[in-house]
Amino acid sequence: MKADRKKVDPLLRTARGQMDGVLKMIEDDRYCMDIVTQLQAVESLVHKAQREVLRAHLAGCVQAAFETGDEQARKEKIDEVVKLLDKA
């Protein structure tokens, strides 16, 4: 992984902790909107981590594929990104 682990790791650890909190809220039969708010916070953290990994992929792996001059490698990297965008 090319992403800065010092950025990604805390985001995902915090999201995991919040998810544990959401599960506890569900067990405690907490108010729906409080649970939704916490789920949005988890989603935001995961999204930030995803952006960091993708940014590093583009700046590292994709850039390297273009610098090699290997047409097949460039095509594969472009296809990876397009496939990811198609899921969104």
Side-chain angles (χ1 to χ4, degrees), residues 10-77:
L11 291 168
L12 294 178
R13 288 182 187 278
T14 302
R16 181 173 58 189
Q18 286 183 326
M19 257 332 270
D20 290 341
V22 168
L23 291 169
K24 177 80 168 97
M25 291 173 78
I26 292 168
E27 289 173 11
D28 294 345
D29 199 27
R30 296 275 302 272
Y31 182 58
C32 299
M33 291 309 295
D34 291 342
I35 294 170
V36 169
T37 299
Q38 289 305 308
L39 287 170
Q40 286 178 323
V42 171
E43 188 176 37
S44 176
L45 287 165
V46 171
H47 187 72
K48 286 178 185 177
Q50 179 184 14
R51 279 195 321 257
E52 178 59 31
V53 173
L54 180 58
R55 184 203 60 73
H57 178 67
L58 293 170
C61 303
V62 174
Q63 182 176 342
F66 275 80
E67 289 173 352
T68 65
D70 181 347
E71 183 65 31
Q72 183 61 30
R74 287 196 308 258
K75 182 184 179 324
E76 287 173 6
K77 296 303 175 196

